Structure formats: C-alpha cells, structure tokens
Amino acid sequence: MNIIIAGDGEVGFHLAKLLTGKHHNITIVDPHEELIKVIESHADLMAVTGASTSISVLENAGVKKADLLISVLHDEQVNIVTSILGKKLGAKRTIARIQNAEYLIPDNLKLFQSLGVDDMVCPEIIAAQELVKLLQQPAATEIFDFSGGKLMLYLIHLDEKSLVLNQTLNDIVRQHPELDFRAVAIHRKNKTIVPKGDDIFQLGDFIYVVTKPKGIEELFRLGGKEKQKINDVMIIGGGRIGRETCRMIENDYNVKLIEIDKERCIQLSDILHNTLIINADARDTQILEDEGIINMDAFIAVTDDSETNMFSCLLAKRLGVKRVIPLVENIDCIDISQSIGVETIINKKLITASLIVQFTMEAEVTAIKCLSGIDAEVMEFVVKPRAKITKGTIRKVQTPPGSLIGGIIRGEESCIATGDFQIEAGDKVVVFALPDAVAKVSALFN
C-alpha cells in the first residue's frame, strides 16, 4: 500500500513507524525540518517538508498514487482541507483526525464524505470512552471490547494476591476446565511472551486475556482482584478528554473537575450540569488535599502536561486512591509508569494508531487495539470464504509464531479458542500478534 501521512509531530511519526513494519510504502509530510531529518534517518520512510494543504507538496509526496492519505495534525481544519485536496488530487482513501465530536454525527459524516473525507477519527472521544470502561471495571489495567462486548480483552497485573502465581497454563486448565477466558500474552520485564501450556505465571506479570462476559468474575477471582466500588471521582484537566469524560459519567458518579483556566471553567459550567467545577492549579498539592483527594475512589489526570498528570497520580496513589489514570503522551514512559505503580495510562498516539491501522490491513478487520506498553496488537478479523484458516481445525492450520487466537464470534454467540475448534467463513476471530506476525496472520483470513 502507498500511504501518505500528514503530521506535525510525534503522532504522525509513531504511526509511520508502526505501519512501516507492515510492508507499506510510507511517505510523511511534515512542516518541521528537524523532525524530517530524524525521519530521513529511517531507511524505510520517505519524507517531504512542507504544509500538507499545499498542492505542490502533496504532489511531491506522490498523492496521485496514494492508496491512503492520513492527516493527523493537531489542527482539525488542516486535516479536513488536506483530506479534501488529497482526494481531489487522486488519493483513493482519506482519513482526517478531528476534535469536534459534532462531525461524527452520521448526516455530517455523509457531508464530509461527499467533499472527499472518507473517514474521521477522534482520539479524544475514544480516550473518554476508555476512561469510562476503566471506571466500570477498576480491577483491570486495560480494556477493549470486540463485537459490542461479545468478547473482551483485559490486562491484569499479577500481585501477591493472585491465585495463579507459579502455575502453568496447563495447571490452570486442569483445575478449571470450563474457563471462559484465555491468556494470549504475558508481558514480563519489558519482554512479551506468547504463552504456551508450560509457561509459568510469575509475580509482577502483566497478563493479556481474551474473555467472554461471563468469564470476567472468575478471571478477577483467579487474578486476586477484589471488587471495587467507584463513587467519587476527581478529574484534573478540563480539555476535550476531561470534558467528555465528565459528560459521560457525571450522572453515575460524584465528579469533581479541577481546571486552571477560568474562562474554560465558565464554558464547562454551561456543558456540565452535575459536575463540581473548581478553578484551581492542580499542581498545588495543598489544593488537591483541600478538595478531598484522600476521599476519592478514582483520580484521572488529563491535562496537556504529562509530567503534571504523572506526578498528581503518584500523589493520589500515595494517599490511598484506589484507581489512578494519567494521560501520558510519551509512549516510552509507559513501562516506567507501570514499574512505579501507575499501571493504567491513556495515550492518544496509541488510540489514534488503533483507529487508523485497521484501514491498512489486507484482510477485513473490524476492530484493532494497539496495546499499551508493548509492541503488539489484538485484532478482530472477519473470515472470508475459502480463507486458509477454514481449511482445518485451529491446531491443524496453526497461526504464525508470535500470534495466538483468543476467541471466535459466530452470530450472537462467542467462544474461547481451543485447538479442536473449526473456524468457518463469516466468523469473527480475535487474534493477538507481535509485529513480525501481523502480515502472515492477515493472510490466513483473506
């Protein structure tokens, strides 16, 4: 695939590096000469310096031969104009990153599609939705739904209370033969393991698990996770993510929102009706204590400053808050945050990548999650007629090294994958895959 990525910083660069490993021809358009020099040091990437709204710049980037044009600058108006121009100049498909949720209304989407913007992604809305799920299931570190929740991906951290420590997968299956979940990856000391039957769970492991809805309770029990009741939530930062999160949860929780900008507080008061909005600087620990941080069940920090978010979450955790979630923009900091006890983070680069990568797959992918802290993905494939994966049982066909089938959705039913299961055309299959395995996995379903 010939792909052009228009960006103005790390989001475009991260997306480009992610897609390069999938054997695409990537060209980045960016106005910053310094970043272009960094990009040019990567042999697999082409780079063009300039504004993506310039017709000559797009033509120099090869827009006439582009299968996909992705515009992920911070300015949504630039992204929209870039997509419209790109489509008119020959790009087969265009995607624009936006911030305005109004554009996602179906009738408005049709209007933009008529202009040449084929798809729109809004990372801030998805981030808010992820935060809501994490509040609803506070025992999980990461959550993602497939096919409306028929199957789910959970990330569980194994601590001293876990009942599966020092046991193999085979041990667990023998003791619990009717399990409705399956471990698809183990992240241990910066290394990701695709588990086999004799792999042993160790203290400190992060386990990615595919589960059916009715398997969640047993999953948490074996993981040693106690049920937590979230009532009181404090959110730092009244930007788009903070605002949308408050709007989604303010009728279900007692919510306090702290925002430093007075004018923004006034605007938020017209939008949020059941949220206590406080105009204050969250970097002042005394203010957090005065506002009752010690009594909170959950603390969410989504300011534009990752350091403020991390620091305030560490303070909240030290004061005994059960659930802390910072917005962290530097992907390299995810492992560090987990090592110091802040296990759950939100990252807009990963959210953007998860929304966009599925458009670049050869097989039909209805959902994809780029995982936090590890270089891997979990995808939901739609099985095509005569696809190789239908030629025998899962055990007989076998998936490439570095991949594992977690579960299958057939109509309204879902099941956890076993070696004897026969996949059929029309099934949706949830697969974990490391980068080197993605292309080979995709070929099984096409």
Side-chain angles (χ1 to χ4, degrees):
M1 219 179 200
N2 295 319
I3 301 174
I4 297 175
I5 301 174
D8 59 356
E10 290 187 359
V11 174
F13 190 28
H14 172 73
L15 186 59
K17 289 192 293 183
L18 184 67
L19 294 176
T20 300
K22 297 173 172 57
H23 311 293
H24 299 297
N25 299 317
I26 309 294
T27 300
I28 296 182
V29 176
D30 195 287
H32 302 104
E33 291 186 9
E34 297 82 5
L35 183 62
I36 290 297
K37 291 178 182 177
V38 174
I39 293 169
E40 288 175 337
S41 67
H42 289 257
D44 295 329
L45 297 175
M46 297 290 291
V48 176
T49 306
S52 61
T53 53
S54 165
I55 293 175
S56 61
V57 168
L58 288 176
E59 288 179 337
N60 288 338
V63 69
K64 292 181 181 179
K65 296 182 179 179
D67 299 296
L68 180 63
L69 169 63
I70 306 166
S71 191
V72 290
L73 287 86
H74 290 85
D75 189 329
E76 67 180 356
Q77 295 180 5
V78 173
N79 294 331
I80 290 170
V81 173
T82 298
S83 296
I84 292 172
L85 287 174
K87 190 74 169 184
K88 300 300 182 184
L89 292 171
K92 294 179 182 177
R93 188 169 193 168
T94 62
I95 303 173
R97 174 187 176 183
I98 61 166
Q99 289 91 34
N100 190 345
E102 179 187 12
Y103 295 161
L104 298 176
I105 296 172
D107 287 343
N108 294 343
L109 273 174
K110 290 179 182 178
L111 172 62
F112 282 109
Q113 287 170 348
S114 70
L115 296 172
V117 186
D118 294 312
D119 297 284
M120 291 182 164
V121 297
C122 183
E124 289 79 9
I125 296 295
I126 302 300
Q129 292 170 345
E130 286 194 12
L131 286 167
V132 173
K133 291 177 185 176
L134 290 165
L135 290 175
Q136 293 169 344
Q137 292 286 1
T141 301
E142 193 169 354
I143 300 172
F144 191 72
D145 291 347
F146 296 96
S147 292
K150 292 184 178 67
L151 285 176
M152 288 158 283
L153 176 76
Y154 280 74
L155 175 59
I156 301 293
H157 181 224
L158 300 186
D159 56 22
E160 295 84 354
K161 296 180 181 179
S162 173
L163 303 182
V164 298
L165 291 179
N166 303 316
Q167 296 188 50
T168 67
L169 285 171
N170 290 335
D171 293 336
I172 296 168
V173 170
R174 279 194 296 268
Q175 297 169 24
H176 309 275
E178 301 301 323
L179 286 181
D180 286 310
F181 57 84
R182 182 177 188 182
V184 294
I186 301 171
H187 189 55
R188 177 184 299 155
K189 297 178 181 179
N190 300 324
K191 182 180 180 181
T192 303
I193 303 166
V194 178
K196 299 181 176 62
D198 56 356
D199 281 313
I200 299 173
F201 291 118
Q202 299 179 13
L203 179 66
D205 284 351
F206 286 87
I207 312 297
Y208 284 94
V209 181
V210 172
T211 179
K212 297 171 64 175
K214 64 180 183 180
I216 296 173
E217 186 172 342
E218 181 68 1
L219 169 63
F220 288 155
R221 188 187 72 81
L222 292 177
K225 305 301 178 183
E226 299 176 357
K227 287 186 177 181
Q228 300 176 16
K229 180 66 175 177
I230 303 293
N231 291 312
D232 300 305
V233 181
M234 182 178 286
I235 298 178
I236 307 302
R240 292 185 180 91
I241 297 176
R243 180 193 66 205
E244 288 301 314
T245 304
C246 288
R247 188 182 60 79
M248 293 176 185
I249 70 171
E250 64 176 355
N251 294 323
D252 300 312
Y253 304 91
N254 302 318
V255 184
K256 282 187 178 182
L257 173 63
I258 299 179
E259 166 57 44
I260 192 172
D261 188 293
K262 185 175 181 180
E263 186 62 33
R264 180 177 281 177
C265 287
I266 294 171
Q267 295 170 357
L268 289 168
S269 66
D270 293 330
I271 300 170
L272 304 173
H273 306 295
N274 291 317
T275 298
L276 178 58
I277 302 170
I278 301 163
N279 179 213
D281 187 348
R283 292 171 295 185
D284 188 333
T285 57
Q286 187 60 51
I287 287 175
L288 295 178
E289 292 179 9
D290 291 344
E291 293 302 332
I293 186 174
I294 197 170
N295 298 317
M296 294 294 130
D297 300 309
F299 181 89
I300 298 170
V302 287
T303 73
D304 293 330
D305 188 331
S306 294
E307 291 182 2
T308 296
N309 297 337
M310 184 65 73
F311 172 77
S312 57
C313 281
L314 284 171
L315 173 65
K317 195 167 185 68
R318 182 172 65 84
L319 293 173
V321 179
K322 303 172 187 174
R323 184 64 142 164
V324 299
I325 310 172
L327 174 69
V328 178
E329 286 304 297
N330 189 340
I331 293 174
D332 295 332
C333 291
I334 296 175
D335 267 338
I336 297 173
S337 70
Q338 291 177 342
S339 68
I340 61 178
V342 181
E343 298 164 1
T344 304
I345 65 96
I346 294 292
N347 183 281
K348 287 192 289 185
K349 295 184 186 71
L350 290 172
I351 290 171
T352 304
S354 294
L355 292 168
I356 290 175
V357 168
Q358 68 186 81
F359 295 108
T360 70
M361 304 289 290
E362 291 185 8
E364 183 179 351
V365 176
T366 51
I368 186 169
K369 173 68 172 174
C370 297
L371 302 177
S372 299
I374 68 173
D375 191 9
E377 297 152 32
V378 177
M379 299 157 283
E380 182 182 74
F381 288 95
V382 177
V383 182
K384 297 298 184 182
R386 298 181 299 279
K388 185 177 180 180
I389 197 69
T390 65
K391 303 303 181 183
T393 62
I394 292 175
R395 182 180 290 109
K396 181 179 178 181
V397 175
Q398 296 186 339
T399 56
S403 66
L404 190 65
I405 294 176
I408 301 95
I409 299 159
R410 181 172 294 169
E412 295 300 313
E413 301 297 322
S414 63
C415 65
I416 301 303
T418 62
D420 297 327
F421 191 90
Q422 175 72 56
I423 293 173
E424 300 176 357
D427 288 348
K428 294 180 179 179
V429 182
V430 175
V431 185
F432 170 90
L434 297 173
D436 292 342
V438 171
K440 295 177 182 177
V441 169
S442 180
L444 292 176
F445 296 91
N446 205 12

